[in-house]
Each structure stands twice: as C-alpha cells, then as structure tokens.
Amino acid sequence: MAYLIRAMLLVTFMLPALVESAVRHYNFTVLLTNMTKLCATKSIVTINGKFPGPTLYAREDDNVIVRVTNHVQYNITIHWHGVRQLRTGWYDGPAYITQCPIQPGKNYVYNFTLTGQRGTLLWHAHISWLRATVHGAIVILPKRGVPYPFPKPDKEKIIVFGEWWKADVEAVIKQATNMGLAPNVSDAHTINGHPGPVTNCSSQGFTLHVESGKTYLLRIVNAAVNDELFFKIAGHNLTIVEVDASYTKPFKTDTIFIGPGQTTTALLTADKESGKYLISISPFMDTTVAVNNVTAVAFLRYKGTVAFSPTTLTSIPAINATAVTNIFNDNLRSLNSKQNPAKVPLIVDHSLLVSMAIGVNPCATCLNGTHVVAGMNNISFVMPTTALLQAHYYNISGVFTDDFPAKPPITFNYTGNYTGNLQTMNGTRLYRLAYNSTVQVVLQGTTIIAPENHPTHLHGFNFFAVGKGLGNFDPNKDPEKFNLVDPVERNTISVPTGGWTAIRFRADNPGVWFLHCHLEVHTTWGLKMAFIVDNGKGPNESLIPPPADLPKC
C-alpha cells in the first residue's frame, strides 16, 4: 500500500513534465483610454486599457489563441513580432500583407503555435502608427523540465521602451503625409509606460525594486516607433544571454543598444548592499536626421533603502556613439551548443543585394510639390487593397507581381556622394522563393539625401547576421570575412549608417513574408518588400487554409 501511494505521488509530481504543450487563451479588447503623461491627458488606443499592453505568457510549443475585438474607430491588426508562424501566415498580422484589418466593431481570433521558440518577443499593432500605444511583451518559457542555458535567476522582470507624443499620433502621421514632409518626432521616451521626471513636469517614473544578492532576468523590449536606444543602469553591469528569442554566448556590458522591434534578455546581479540607481534610455542617431533627444529615466531601488536617498547617476552615451553600438553588436554570437545549434546556410540558392534609400517624388497636393519617399532597390512599396497572402493563395491577379529585382536596377556608388535622380518607382513587387531554398540578402545602406541606420525586420523567419561593414558591399572580398560558425540569430537587425549587413535564412515557411525597416516613418514612406515562399511537398510543407473568420477588406 505504501509503495502504491509513493507511486501515485510520483506520477502526480511528474504530470507537469509530461505535458509537452498547452493551449493559452487571451482576450485583447481594443479600447480608447485616457492616459496622463507629461502632465497632460489624452485619449489613446490600447489593449485592455493598458499602456504598455498585457504581457503574453506561454511555453515553447504551446498553442496560443488570442481573440482581438475592435472597439475603436480605427482598423486594427496585431503582429506577433518574431513568432515564426510556421504554415500559419494568416495570423502574422501586417495589414494588407497577410490579412485585411479588423474593422471597427469586428473581431478576429489569432491561432498559432510557438514551435521551437523560447525567450522574449513582442506584439504590436501593424497598421498605420497605432503601434505607438498598442504593444506589449511576449514571454516564451522553455518546455517544462528544460533549464535555461545560464544560471537560473531568482526573479524575472519585463522592461518595455516606448515613445510618447503629446499630440494624437494618427493626426501626426496624417498631417505629415498630406504635407509630404517628415512627421514630428515624439515628445518623450517611456520605460514601462513612464517618461519619468522631465522639464516642467515632475511625474513619477518607473522603479525596479531589487534585493541585495539576488539575480534578475531582465526581458527588455524596444517597442519605440522610430528610435534606436541605449539602455544603462548606474553602477551595474548586465550579462546578455539572449536576443530576439535566440540564446547568445553570454557577455557582460554596461550599455545595451537596442533597435525598434528588437528584444534583449540580460542577467542583472543586485551586488550592492542598498541604494537608489538611475536607469536611463537615450536615443542613438549618427547622422543629420531629426530625432527625439530626450532621455527617459527610471530608478533601480534596493530593498531597505531609506527614503530620500541620493540617486547614483550614470553617464549617457553620446547620441552619435557609433563605436558603442559596434562594440555591443560585435559581441553578439549565437550560443551554438548541442542543444541550441546555429544552423547557418552554407550554400546559397538566392543572393540578393537590396539598396535602402530615401527619395523624393512629385506630389501636386503637397506643400512643396513633392513628398518624401523611401524604397528598396529604388521601388517604393505600394500597399495593396487586397491582402497579398489571399491574392497568393487564391491566385488573384492584378494585386502584385513577383518580379522584385535581386539587385538595384542601376549600379552606383551607394555610399558615395550621390548627385543623381531622387525619384523612385512605385510598385507592389514581391520576390518568389521555392520551399526550403536558402537565401542571402545583403541590405545595403545608401547616402541618398541622408545616410541612416535602418533596423530591418523579416517576418516569418529567424535569420543569421553573417557579416556587416562600412561602405559598399564587395561580393568578392567581403564574404571571405563572413561568420558562418556562430553568427547572431535575430529577426530584426541594424544596417549601419553608410554601410551594409548580410543575412542568411532558409525559406522553410510557406506564405507571404514582409521585409521592412522597423522605423515606422520609413515603412510609411515605402521602405519595404515581401517574399513569397511557395508550398513544398505535402501538407506539412504547405500553408494551412485561411480561417473562416479572416477579416475582409
């Protein structure tokens, strides 16, 4: 009898480990909510009345079901940024790419599985500029019984960066589009929704509470709209262990560099006895482009610290501290262990060179008779009125063409003194890939109008950043220096100002997948394209049929 009881207890305690996956249900209600920031109140679009929105928690291989109900006057979609969406492109979320938007008063159920992924990601609106306030973190825990490949932390904390405009964000971009000019920059940066004390407004900031001797896993998300950011905690180093839900070789740093759409997970050891320490986020911009240059601050406070203790301060990196960004990025390497191998494609079936540039096109109704545009390989992407994935699935003609060029139509000195034509072509042109083919994309920055760093996001895939450099990519010499052993694995990567970045991935996910600059202003101007990945053999290599509740345009 005692043996039987012990056996039953053993089975009971083992049950969680036997459960390989679960179904996680969430309800996201899109609401207008009054929020007070910078000592002024305005109405913003939120999920469930929160800014940032709720954190989505799940485990690797879990099925996630999110019902999104739209109660605002705007169309809405939600993108699960970095989620692979294997064969489930209908739930990826970019408006008019994989779905028509959810109209006012309507709802849509997103249903996807977190196959082979664990770590920190984010979700955000993917239509117009609504992601300014509609965003939140995704936490994917390892399978039960599977440890982290680093020392287990005592606690985990989520830190989400954002931007805040005093004006209505949709009005800001609408005015800029009508005038043909760049939109106004934001008025503040936020840390977990708080800008902290700023000039003429002594609002309370976010406080990270810690206990001496404990280790914290910080899940850091940059949900900003247009700004790449530096992150520092006074008097403390951070150990980087993961980016974009991919484990990295651990390394220590006192400064994190993180672009919009990127996530960074770091270990923080609370190695002081007590005290209050400044947390700062500040912008990076190493060219002559307007940016919100306001530093947001928060505070790390040790348990037992007496009230009104002085704050230990830290130095802020210069806004153009390119060297700091390079040091951080160059230290990022895939873990490449037996449990977490780096499967870098060594042979390339498709090799693309994609120039990224700002341009100027005629506009009869705009302020100066022109409007600012952007393009990849001199093509400003035109958003269709029928979702591309539907057009692909149902063979609807006239929505797109599959002739996106594999290289710029005219070869020139991309990072030299450009004096040529500033106009771009317009089109909805995609690039077609066979299932399981291997792809190399060299993202080439240019100096047309102004060189700029471009954080670039690929939907539907992780990729390996195998190389980067300044100036023009040299197809004969530069590949000799590629890291094909342990390059960092990401879904969003910075293209350096006046330089290039090379990425590789395997096209093992059928569907239509967006590639775009994650600076929302550049996406608005047309700095985007998409890949079509055809079905492979059989149902396991094919896109699932569209759901019955797929929104209609």
Side-chain angles (χ1 to χ4, degrees):
M1 184 67 180
Y3 172 81
L4 181 60
I5 292 173
R6 283 197 302 270
M8 291 174 64
L9 286 172
L10 180 61
V11 169
T12 301
F13 285 121
M14 287 178 61
L15 276 177
L18 296 174
V19 178
E20 287 298 317
S21 60
V23 180
R24 311 279 178 169
H25 290 272
Y26 287 87
N27 285 309
F28 278 21
T29 304
V30 190
L31 301 168
L32 284 178
T33 305
N34 286 335
M35 289 273 174
T36 301
K37 308 288 177 192
L38 306 179
C39 293
T41 301
K42 70 170 185 174
S43 183
I44 64 170
V45 181
T46 67
I47 298 298
N48 299 350
K50 296 180 178 180
F51 170 74
T55 298
L56 190 155
Y57 287 92
R59 287 191 182 275
E60 179 182 349
D61 291 344
D62 279 356
N63 178 214
V64 178
I65 298 174
V66 187
R67 176 179 292 275
V68 177
T69 305
N70 187 5
H71 288 311
V72 301
Q73 72 269 34
Y74 304 108
N75 288 344
I76 193 80
T77 69
I78 302 293
H79 169 50
W80 316 94
H81 184 115
V83 172
R84 286 289 316 275
Q85 297 291 354
L86 287 167
R87 301 174 46 241
T88 56
W90 307 106
Y91 305 115
D92 189 42
Y96 303 105
I97 305 299
T98 58
Q99 69 166 98
C100 299
I102 307 167
Q103 298 174 20
K106 304 293 185 180
N107 61 66
Y108 181 45
V109 177
Y110 292 89
N111 185 345
F112 53 88
T113 300
L114 299 167
T115 305
Q117 291 187 276
R118 83 293 304 160
T120 310
L121 295 171
L122 70 152
W123 58 263
H124 60 78
H126 211 304
I127 184 168
S128 190
W129 281 32
L130 290 178
R131 73 177 171 96
T133 56
V134 179
H135 60 251
I138 300 174
V139 174
I140 310 172
L141 299 170
K143 296 178 185 178
R144 292 188 185 277
V146 176
Y148 292 127
F150 47 81
K152 184 179 179 181
D154 296 294
K155 291 185 179 180
E156 300 189 10
K157 303 280 187 177
I158 295 169
I159 300 177
V160 179
F161 304 151
E163 287 182 86
W164 186 266
W165 279 259
K166 293 179 181 177
D168 179 277
V169 180
E170 291 299 285
V172 168
I173 186 56
K174 183 178 180 180
Q175 180 190 45
T177 301
N178 290 341
M179 296 178 70
L181 303 176
N184 293 336
V185 299
S186 58
D187 297 292
H189 296 108
T190 58
I191 303 175
N192 282 354
H194 301 280
V198 295
T199 305
N200 300 324
C201 183
S202 59
S203 59
Q204 186 177 3
F206 168 72
T207 298
L208 177 64
H209 294 279
V210 299
E211 294 183 45
S212 181
K214 291 193 173 181
T215 299
Y216 297 81
L217 190 71
L218 304 185
R219 299 184 179 274
I220 303 163
V221 174
N222 187 353
V225 179
N226 290 315
D227 288 350
E228 298 174 289
L229 298 167
F230 294 115
F231 171 74
K232 293 189 73 173
I233 301 177
H236 293 75
N237 283 324
L238 299 161
T239 301
I240 310 302
V241 294
E242 173 232 307
V243 294
D244 291 2
S246 296
Y247 292 134
T248 64
K249 289 182 171 68
F251 72 93
K252 286 189 176 182
T253 181
D254 68 349
T255 305
I256 286 175
F257 172 61
I258 183 168
Q262 291 184 330
T263 61
T264 301
T265 302
L267 291 170
L268 164 71
T269 299
D271 55 5
K272 307 291 189 290
E273 290 300 318
S274 65
K276 185 179 176 185
Y277 296 82
L278 190 77
I279 299 173
S280 67
I281 60 170
S282 59
F284 166 69
M285 176 58 69
D286 60 354
T287 187
T288 55
V289 173
V291 66
N292 170 6
N293 196 15
V294 179
T295 298
V297 299
F299 304 95
L300 180 148
R301 189 182 188 96
Y302 279 80
K303 183 178 181 180
T305 298
V306 297
F308 307 110
S309 292
T311 301
T312 300
L313 304 180
T314 186
S315 60
I316 307 299
I319 190 171
N320 62 348
T322 307
V324 178
T325 72
N326 286 334
I327 291 170
F328 182 83
N329 287 331
D330 290 346
N331 274 317
L332 290 172
R333 292 283 188 272
S334 286
L335 189 58
N336 195 21
S337 64
K338 184 177 179 180
Q339 293 78 19
N340 297 278
K343 299 179 181 179
V344 187
L346 301 180
I347 298 173
V348 172
D349 299 317
H350 297 266
S351 184
L352 286 78
L353 177 68
V354 178
S355 63
M356 307 178 75
I358 309 299
V360 179
N361 283 355
C363 173
T365 60
C366 294
L367 186 65
N368 300 318
T370 60
H371 69 122
V372 183
V373 295
M376 291 185 167
N377 282 353
N378 205 44
I379 300 166
S380 290
F381 187 90
V382 176
M383 293 293 278
T385 54
T386 299
L388 294 176
L389 189 58
Q390 287 177 279
H392 166 59
Y393 187 84
Y394 291 111
N395 293 314
I396 303 171
S397 61
V399 178
F400 67 86
T401 59
D402 61 358
D403 59 348
F404 181 86
K407 61 182 181 180
I410 299 174
T411 301
F412 61 98
N413 183 1
Y414 307 112
T415 55
N417 185 19
Y418 184 81
T419 57
N421 188 354
L422 297 179
Q423 290 190 33
T424 64
M425 298 179 288
N426 295 323
T428 311
R429 299 168 66 176
L430 280 58
Y431 190 95
R432 187 177 293 274
L433 299 168
Y435 180 84
N436 218 34
S437 58
T438 54
V439 187
Q440 176 176 292
V441 182
V442 176
L443 299 162
Q444 175 68 63
T446 66
T447 53
I448 299 174
I449 299 183
E452 192 169 345
N453 189 298
H454 296 285
T456 304
H457 174 47
L458 176 62
H459 291 227
F461 300 95
N462 283 356
F463 54 73
F464 292 96
V466 295
K468 69 181 179 73
L470 294 178
N472 300 332
F473 174 73
D474 186 330
N476 297 315
K477 296 181 179 179
D478 287 326
E480 295 176 0
K481 297 175 285 186
F482 282 179
N483 177 5
L484 302 179
V485 177
D486 62 351
V488 67
E489 185 177 356
R490 305 206 72 143
N491 62 62
T492 306
I493 192 73
S494 290
V495 179
T497 300
W500 56 270
T501 293
I503 64 172
R504 289 188 180 186
F505 65 96
R506 181 176 294 277
D508 57 358
N509 194 5
V512 174
W513 304 109
F514 215 13
L515 174 74
H516 62 97
C517 180
H518 217 266
L519 302 178
E520 198 63 56
V521 60
H522 289 172
T523 303
T524 301
W525 289 344
L527 197 59
K528 49 197 174 186
M529 58 83 69
F531 290 101
I532 307 170
V533 179
D534 289 322
N535 286 338
K537 297 177 181 179
N540 291 335
E541 296 181 359
S542 300
L543 181 69
I544 65 169
D549 64 339
L550 187 69
K552 294 179 172 58
C553 288

